[in-house]
Amino acid sequence: MRAYPYIKRGADFVLSLLALVCLSPLYIVLSAAVKVTSPGPALFKQRRVGRGGRIFTIYKFRTMRTDTPRDTATHLLSDPGRYITPVGAFLRRSSLDELPQFFNVLKGDMSIVGPRPALYNQYDLIAAREAAGVNKVRPGITGWAQINGRDELPIPVKVKYDREYVENLSLKMDVRCFFGSVLAVLRADGVREGGTGGKKSA
């Protein structure tokens, strides 16, 4: 359906606005928890790659100490566990650290469902996605790859799932990804601190 991308953007705007309003008490509680348990700001900002290769600033609740190396993917840190804050492990495991990204969805940087946005310096992932036509859609808070391995997926497999999502973009696919993500979060499927690529195939 050619009109679906426009319908999807409209739904993203309405749903993200509702989420920001309805979850505002939770935002306050989580912000306070981050601030109380670790010095530094409650929100973490990072440059990511959006639709068409455009760089944007993504928002997350801060889960790591302020002395963590900047713009470095977690799996590239030699000992990521030592940088995670007391409340950070819970936020990452439950994916609650991603909630501020509803601001990104509202702004149009992201969609609720789509390929997870790459760091601006993950050149191999960006190039692979560009070749597969993945960068032509908005990145998402969650996506097809997220419910098929998350942190465990090596780049070729992750891009394979991303391409499948783009090629089958539809309401049915988005609903499947959304509810699959809820189940994955409840089971903490594929969460693997400090490592990626443990799952070779699917």
Side-chain angles (χ1 to χ4, degrees):
M1 185 170 59
R2 292 183 178 180
Y4 182 65
Y6 301 99
I7 297 173
K8 178 180 172 72
R9 174 58 195 149
D12 279 338
F13 182 87
V14 172
L15 293 175
S16 60
L17 183 60
L18 287 174
L20 290 169
V21 173
C22 295
L23 297 176
S24 55
L26 180 59
Y27 279 73
I28 294 172
V29 170
L30 294 180
S31 295
V34 173
K35 291 284 290 182
V36 168
T37 58
S38 174
L43 288 182
F44 173 71
K45 301 177 183 179
Q46 193 175 57
R47 287 181 292 170
R48 296 291 181 104
V49 179
R51 185 173 63 170
R54 184 177 65 86
I55 302 298
F56 72 97
T57 299
I58 197 172
Y59 306 112
K60 303 178 74 171
F61 282 119
R62 184 172 56 83
T63 62
M64 306 188 87
R65 299 188 333 226
T66 55
D67 61 342
T68 304
R70 293 286 301 176
D71 298 329
T72 301
T74 305
H75 70 275
L76 295 179
L77 298 173
S78 58
D79 184 14
R82 74 186 182 94
Y83 293 107
I84 297 176
T85 65
V87 74
F90 166 72
L91 292 176
R92 295 165 76 90
R93 185 170 59 252
S94 62
S95 294
L96 290 173
D97 61 320
E98 312 286 0
L99 287 181
Q101 286 161 42
F102 280 114
F103 285 105
N104 289 115
V105 176
L106 191 67
K107 289 169 57 182
D109 296 327
M110 297 177 62
S111 179
I112 293 175
V113 179
R116 283 297 296 163
L119 266 167
Y120 76 96
N121 57 2
Q122 287 182 295
Y123 305 115
D124 49 353
L125 175 57
I126 296 168
R129 282 177 163 174
E130 184 65 33
V134 175
N135 292 339
K136 65 184 180 181
V137 302
R138 285 185 179 89
I141 296 176
T142 188
W144 186 230
Q146 288 295 101
I147 66 174
N148 283 287
R150 296 179 74 176
D151 299 332
E152 294 183 346
L153 297 177
I155 286 175
V157 179
K158 183 179 296 185
V159 173
K160 168 182 171 290
Y161 282 122
D162 290 339
R163 185 179 65 247
E164 287 179 1
Y165 172 79
V166 173
E167 291 175 347
N168 296 280
L169 183 63
S170 63
L171 176 60
K172 180 179 179 181
M173 174 61 94
D174 280 352
V175 169
R176 186 177 181 184
C177 289
F178 179 82
F179 286 104
S181 297
V182 173
L183 292 175
V185 167
L186 291 176
R187 297 192 299 248
D189 286 350
V191 177
R192 189 166 179 249
E193 296 295 357
T196 187
K199 191 171 184 177
K200 299 301 182 184
S201 61

